[in-house]
């Protein structure tokens, strides 16, 4: 019997989007490990062709020009030449929707993580982009809309797609992300040893407030910094650990104005096992974003036994359930009060704190990459049969 040939189409690794890389990696890994009797999967992840930058760090106008050429010319042409090798195509990042134009749309699945990539043409409040950028976005969106099926990480993302009339409900399905097995509450001596030099020696008095993610505007780093400054008025030893690259110039200026320079540690995106060790060392994870598609740090932190305070968004309530604490977006007094209350609980009510950690671990256990892949395979079969 000839098995259906599925292409798992991933982002360019050079773009350094850890969450997108994680989805492609976990899907492919579980297709091979759990479903190889039914699916012949191939991970598609070509190297970015360098034209204007022979070496690059993922930033700057020349690198962005190379990204544009690779996304809109090289990758589509590369796929067009290979499309006869596969029976079904799964684009794991909706911002690569332009690839559908070069594929048999009736056999293509796209995963939508959020609406950020399309925001400038579906939301008048985000109308500051250039005409060229909007034209590029329309090309991506028109390809996305051709797909046979769209999967969403959350009900909230699906509902937003429906609200904007971007995709018919009968061709959408919600399949939540999973949690990588590296994220758990138990110590990992090797990873813990790697994390120690990054944070300094562990101390019972340490209060590390953690943020994981990029510094793009919707992450509201400005709010995060103001929260930490307020918490430090009550807990002088509190510091911010931020994983995900450098602050912008404006954010660095705010750090100086808030006199936080000596109370902030900035780390790059880390190997997952080391990131898990950082989660375990943290007192709290904060996610003050004004919008999210899933909020992967929420479940990663909870899986490691770290309590979470998140923005009161439908998607974050969906993912964090009753195990997380929620505050209104950008309401710094509410955030700082919640953080202070939780930190006192940690020090003065250890039994209650233990219950909170246990609830988080149980909530995170609901999210499995094995289950994600199982449901995706069922969708593949439905598309192939239709």
């Amino acid at each position: 019997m000839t098995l259906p040939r599925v292409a798992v189409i991933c982002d360019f690794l050079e773009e350094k989007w850890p969450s997108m890389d994680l989805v492609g990696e976990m899907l492919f890994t579980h297709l091979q490990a759990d479903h190889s009797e039914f699916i012949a999967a191939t991970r598609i992840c070509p190297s970015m062709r360098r034209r204007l930058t022979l070496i690059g760090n993922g930033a700057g106008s020349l690198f962005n020009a190379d990204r544009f050429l690779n996304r809109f010319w090289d990758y589509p042409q590369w796929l067009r030449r290979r499309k006869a090798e596969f029976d079904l195509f799964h684009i794991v990042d909706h911002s690569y929707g332009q690839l559908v134009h070069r594929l048999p749309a009736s056999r293509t699945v796209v995963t939508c993580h959020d609406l950020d990539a399309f925001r400038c043409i579906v939301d008048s409040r985000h109308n500051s982009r250039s005409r060229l950028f909007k034209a590029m976005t329309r090309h991506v969106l028109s390809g996305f809309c051709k797909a046979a099926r769209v999967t969403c990480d959350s009900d909230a993302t699906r509902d937003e797609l429906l609200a904007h009339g971007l995709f018919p409900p009968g061709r959408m399905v919600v399949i939540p992300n999973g949690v990588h097995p590296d994220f758990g509450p138990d110590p990992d001596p090797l990873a813990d040893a790697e994390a120690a030099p990054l944070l300094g020696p562990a101390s019972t008095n340490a209060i590390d407030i953690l943020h994981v993610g990029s510094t793009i505007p919707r992450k509201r780093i400005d709010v995060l910094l103001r929260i930490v400054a307020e918490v430090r008025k009550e807990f002088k030893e509190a510091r911010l650990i931020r994983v995900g690259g450098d602050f912008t110039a404006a954010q660095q200026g705010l750090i100086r104005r808030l006199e936080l320079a000596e109370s902030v540690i900035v780390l790059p995106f880390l190997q997952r096992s080391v990131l898990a060790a950082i989660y375990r060392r943290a007192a709290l994870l904060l996610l003050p974003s004004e919008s999210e598609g899933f909020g992967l740090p929420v479940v990663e932190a909870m899986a490691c036994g770290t309590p979470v305070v998140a923005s009161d968004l439908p998607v974050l309530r969906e993912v964090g359930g009753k195990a997380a604490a929620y505050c209104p977006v950008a309401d710094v007094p509410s955030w700082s009060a919640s953080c202070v209350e939780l930190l006192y609980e940690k020090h003065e009510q250890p039994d209650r704190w233990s219950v909170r950690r246990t609830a988080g671990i149980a909530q995170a256990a609901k999210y499995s990459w094995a289950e994600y892949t199982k449901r995706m395979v069922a969708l593949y079969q439905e598309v192939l049969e239709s």
Side-chain angles (χ1 to χ4, degrees), residues 235-268:
F235 295 94
K236 293 295 185 185
E237 62 272 38
R239 61 181 183 171
L240 172 64
I241 312 298
R242 223 202 64 75
V243 179
D246 294 332
F247 291 105
T248 66
Q251 292 159 0
Q252 290 170 353
L254 182 57
I255 288 171
R256 290 190 293 270
R257 292 194 297 277
L258 294 172
E259 299 181 349
L260 289 176
E262 302 302 316
S263 305
V264 175
I265 294 178
V266 179
L267 302 175

Side-chain angles (χ1 to χ4, degrees), residues 88-91 100 103-110 147-149 383:
L88 186 138
F89 305 84
H90 182 178
I91 299 170
V100 184
L103 297 172
S106 63
R107 292 185 281 118
T108 300
V109 174
V110 179
R149 297 287 191 280
V383 173

Side-chain angles (χ1 to χ4, degrees), residues 191-249:
D192 294 343
E194 286 190 57
L198 302 175
L199 300 181
S203 167
T204 54
N205 296 323
I207 298 178
D208 288 342
I209 296 173
L210 179 62
H211 179 269
V212 177
S214 69
T215 57
I216 58 177
R218 69 176 174 85
K219 298 293 184 178
R220 296 308 304 266
I221 301 301
D222 58 326
V223 173
L224 173 71
L225 294 171
R226 289 188 170 93
I227 294 165
V228 173
E230 289 298 314
V231 171
R232 279 180 50 78
K233 293 177 181 179
E234 190 76 20
F235 295 94
K236 293 295 185 185
E237 62 272 38
R239 61 181 183 171
L240 172 64
I241 312 298
R242 223 202 64 75
V243 179
D246 294 332
F247 291 105
T248 66

Side-chain angles (χ1 to χ4, degrees), residues 117-316:
F118 311 133
R119 196 76 65 186
C120 68
I121 58 175
V122 301
D123 190 338
S124 59
R125 294 172 297 176
H126 299 262
N127 202 28
S128 60
R129 293 289 196 170
S130 68
R131 275 199 274 181
L132 177 61
F133 189 91
K134 289 179 181 177
M136 177 188 72
T137 301
R138 289 189 184 94
H139 183 63
V140 175
L141 179 57
S142 64
F144 171 86
C145 291
K146 287 182 178 180
R149 297 287 191 280
V150 161
T151 75
C152 299
D153 299 339
S154 63
D155 290 336
T157 297
R158 178 202 57 198
D159 293 347
E160 197 171 5
L161 282 171
L162 289 172
H164 288 289
L166 296 180
F167 213 81
R171 288 162 53 199
M172 279 194 289
V173 61
V174 176
I175 303 180
N177 293 324
V179 178
H180 192 279
D182 281 348
F183 297 103
D186 297 327
D188 178 340
L190 289 177
D192 294 343
E194 286 190 57
L198 302 175
L199 300 181
S203 167
T204 54
N205 296 323
I207 298 178
D208 288 342
I209 296 173
L210 179 62
H211 179 269
V212 177
S214 69
T215 57
I216 58 177
R218 69 176 174 85
K219 298 293 184 178
R220 296 308 304 266
I221 301 301
D222 58 326
V223 173
L224 173 71
L225 294 171
R226 289 188 170 93
I227 294 165
V228 173
E230 289 298 314
V231 171
R232 279 180 50 78
K233 293 177 181 179
E234 190 76 20
F235 295 94
K236 293 295 185 185
E237 62 272 38
R239 61 181 183 171
L240 172 64
I241 312 298
R242 223 202 64 75
V243 179
D246 294 332
F247 291 105
T248 66
Q251 292 159 0
Q252 290 170 353
L254 182 57
I255 288 171
R256 290 190 293 270
R257 292 194 297 277
L258 294 172
E259 299 181 349
L260 289 176
E262 302 302 316
S263 305
V264 175
I265 294 178
V266 179
L267 302 175
F269 285 107
L270 301 169
Q271 188 177 11
R272 291 183 194 116
S273 60
V274 179
L275 176 57
I278 301 288
Y279 277 123
R280 287 190 290 270
R281 283 275 299 265
L284 296 171
L285 174 94
L286 304 190
L287 198 69
S289 308
E290 65 184 19
S291 69
E292 285 287 347
F294 183 77
L296 202 56
V298 170
V299 289
E300 290 176 346
M302 291 193 300
C304 294
T306 301
V308 172
V309 186
S311 289
D312 194 358
L313 303 174
V315 64
L316 297 182

Side-chain angles (χ1 to χ4, degrees), residues 327-370:
C327 295
V329 174
D331 185 345
V332 174
S334 175
W335 278 83
S336 56
S338 291
C339 291
V340 166
E341 182 181 346
L342 287 169
L343 292 173
Y344 274 121
E345 178 186 288
K346 180 177 188 292
H347 289 282
E348 298 176 358
Q349 298 176 280
D351 290 344
R352 188 172 178 179
W353 184 258
S354 179
V355 170
R356 187 180 300 279
R357 292 182 73 249
T358 300
I361 293 168
Q363 177 68 15
K366 298 176 182 179
Y367 296 94
S368 158
W369 286 114

